[in-house]
Amino acid sequence: MATTNQQLNALFEKWKDERHYSGNVFVSDGLVYKNAPWKMTEEEDIAGTAADIEVEQLWNDSPLRVAFLLKDTPDSEDDDSGCDDVRQWMILDKPESEQSRNLAGGRVGKTGFLPNIARILYGLRYIKQLQNKYTDFEEFKSKYKSQIVEAWNKLPFAFVETKKIAGKKKVDVNVIKKFLESDGYLLKQELDYLKPNVIVCTCDDAQFDFITKNYLAGETIDEHDKIEFAYPKAEFVDCCLWYYKRRNIAVVKSYHPTNRGKIQWTIFERVISPFRELLKKHPEFFENF
């Protein structure tokens, strides 16, 4: 049986053909590889190998299958951390991959993009165990620093680029909306292959509207399970999480996970705080956490 990433590879070939995207600008994504048994290059395809099967098993066995719905990835020529397959970010034979694994150094440390995602991943996976164990974000960040790095290198997660064409360092939300309109039917197929139970929308309303009004349009949701509230103690965009009980899927709005223009703790709390409310309302969702 084909692994998820093998299925995605076939979908990406269809995607490039149907949308007339050339292979040198198309960015592949999906389940992010961990602990490859050899140093690999960007040209290698490891779908179907032991490393691929391992992350597939981790994903299938995990109570948390979180897909981070991103905007796009910078072109490799524009950004030294760029890669035409984001699943390989952590296992390439290059300094940037070592920085990605360690969550420190280079642009990884400067922008905060991966460290912020890693903290969210850890905070979600261990949300029950972390209750009442720290007083604020700074204590959490310091107290669990080594555990977050270890979990980052072991826990499965998926990166899904909304716009599969590599771009510049910034992308306008209207460009994202355009790609959701043109490529949305293919993005839905990708999510069907991945089967996440948590979708983190990092482009705010554009992605959230696509998931709730398109991908999950046929699903019912109780008003009780639309968890929306203003976070206290900060000038802060409201928290928003919708839980689709029948499908057992939680969809949450997130800030874009770079530090640029934001107070760092809000990036973490905008995702984690509504999940704390979901834990109160639906503890069964977290039964195996």
Side-chain angles (χ1 to χ4, degrees), residues 65-122:
R65 298 183 305 282
V66 56
F68 292 94
L69 198 54
L70 308 176
K71 293 181 179 181
D72 68 354
T73 191
D75 189 292
S76 298
E77 295 181 0
D78 271 3
D79 188 319
D80 59 11
S81 65
C83 173
D84 63 3
D85 190 337
V86 300
R87 296 171 292 189
Q88 300 178 1
W89 276 1
M90 297 175 70
I91 58 173
L92 292 175
D93 186 13
K94 54 194 296 188
E96 293 78 21
S97 292
E98 186 64 27
Q99 292 164 359
S100 295
R101 290 188 287 271
N102 294 333
L103 296 175
R107 285 184 55 79
V108 170
K110 182 178 179 181
T111 68
F113 179 81
L114 294 182
N116 286 323
I117 290 176
R119 293 182 195 113
I120 290 171
L121 179 68
Y122 184 84

Side-chain angles (χ1 to χ4, degrees), residues 141-177:
K141 186 171 69 169
S142 173
K143 185 175 181 179
Y144 297 100
K145 182 177 180 179
S146 61
Q147 293 97 317
I148 291 168
V149 173
E150 181 180 8
W152 176 245
N153 285 279
K154 291 183 178 179
L155 294 179
F157 62 89
F159 277 156
V160 178
E161 304 284 355
T162 303
K163 173 176 167 284
K164 291 293 193 284
I165 301 303
K168 305 299 181 182
K169 292 181 180 179
K170 294 182 181 179
V171 57
D172 188 89
V173 67
N174 289 319
V175 174
I176 296 300
K177 289 179 179 178

Side-chain angles (χ1 to χ4, degrees), residues 14 17 37 50 60 75 84 144 156-158 171 175 193 198 206 220 231 241 250 255 274 284:
K14 171 186 174 184
D17 183 59
N60 291 337
D75 189 292
D84 63 3
Y144 297 100
F157 62 89
V171 57
V175 174
Y193 282 137
V198 170
T220 58
Y231 195 89
L241 181 155
Y255 286 120
E284 69 277 8

Side-chain angles (χ1 to χ4, degrees), residues 10-275:
L11 173 63
F12 297 151
E13 290 305 312
K14 171 186 174 184
W15 204 318
K16 287 183 280 188
D17 183 59
E18 290 191 8
R19 301 297 302 146
H20 306 293
Y21 296 148
S22 63
N24 62 336
V25 299
F26 188 90
V27 177
S28 300
D29 51 27
L31 297 182
V32 175
Y33 296 126
K34 308 292 181 73
N35 303 320
W38 70 92
K39 297 290 186 179
M40 66 174 294
T41 66
E42 291 186 27
E43 290 72 32
E44 291 181 275
D45 178 7
I46 67 171
T49 66
D52 185 29
I53 293 169
E54 179 182 1
V55 75
E56 172 92 355
Q57 194 63 49
L58 288 171
W59 179 258
N60 291 337
D61 292 345
S62 178
L64 173 70
R65 298 183 305 282
V66 56
F68 292 94
L69 198 54
L70 308 176
K71 293 181 179 181
D72 68 354
T73 191
D75 189 292
S76 298
E77 295 181 0
D78 271 3
D79 188 319
D80 59 11
S81 65
C83 173
D84 63 3
D85 190 337
V86 300
R87 296 171 292 189
Q88 300 178 1
W89 276 1
M90 297 175 70
I91 58 173
L92 292 175
D93 186 13
K94 54 194 296 188
E96 293 78 21
S97 292
E98 186 64 27
Q99 292 164 359
S100 295
R101 290 188 287 271
N102 294 333
L103 296 175
R107 285 184 55 79
V108 170
K110 182 178 179 181
T111 68
F113 179 81
L114 294 182
N116 286 323
I117 290 176
R119 293 182 195 113
I120 290 171
L121 179 68
Y122 184 84
L124 289 176
R125 177 62 182 83
Y126 298 107
I127 192 167
K128 290 200 301 187
Q129 295 90 325
L130 291 169
Q131 290 183 98
N132 304 315
K133 294 294 179 63
Y134 60 92
T135 57
D136 58 26
F137 173 75
E138 290 302 322
E139 182 185 355
F140 165 79
K141 186 171 69 169
S142 173
K143 185 175 181 179
Y144 297 100
K145 182 177 180 179
S146 61
Q147 293 97 317
I148 291 168
V149 173
E150 181 180 8
W152 176 245
N153 285 279
K154 291 183 178 179
L155 294 179
F157 62 89
F159 277 156
V160 178
E161 304 284 355
T162 303
K163 173 176 167 284
K164 291 293 193 284
I165 301 303
K168 305 299 181 182
K169 292 181 180 179
K170 294 182 181 179
V171 57
D172 188 89
V173 67
N174 289 319
V175 174
I176 296 300
K177 289 179 179 178
K178 180 179 178 181
F179 271 84
L180 286 170
E181 291 171 1
S182 64
D183 293 27
Y185 68 104
L186 294 161
L187 187 61
K188 288 164 65 176
Q189 291 180 49
E190 180 172 6
L191 292 170
D192 282 341
Y193 282 137
L194 286 167
K195 298 181 177 62
N197 62 356
V198 170
I199 301 174
V200 178
C201 300
T202 67
C203 190
D204 218 280
D205 291 345
Q207 293 170 339
F208 187 84
D209 287 349
F210 171 78
I211 296 298
T212 57
K213 297 178 181 179
N214 191 324
Y215 182 61
L216 296 174
E219 296 296 325
T220 58
I221 180 172
D222 293 339
E223 288 300 314
H224 171 78
D225 292 332
K226 295 180 179 179
I227 301 173
E228 301 180 29
F229 60 92
Y231 195 89
K233 303 178 185 177
E235 293 183 3
F236 185 106
V237 178
D238 290 354
C239 296
C240 179
L241 181 155
W242 287 13
Y243 175 57
Y244 293 81
K245 186 175 181 179
R246 192 189 75 82
R247 288 280 298 272
N248 198 39
I249 296 177
V251 186
V252 64
K253 288 185 184 180
S254 167
Y255 286 120
H256 188 266
T258 57
N259 293 334
R260 189 183 299 113
K262 297 178 285 292
I263 302 171
Q264 194 178 60
W265 71 264
T266 65
I267 300 170
F268 180 77
E269 283 296 339
R270 195 176 181 209
V271 175
I272 300 300
S273 58
F275 272 94

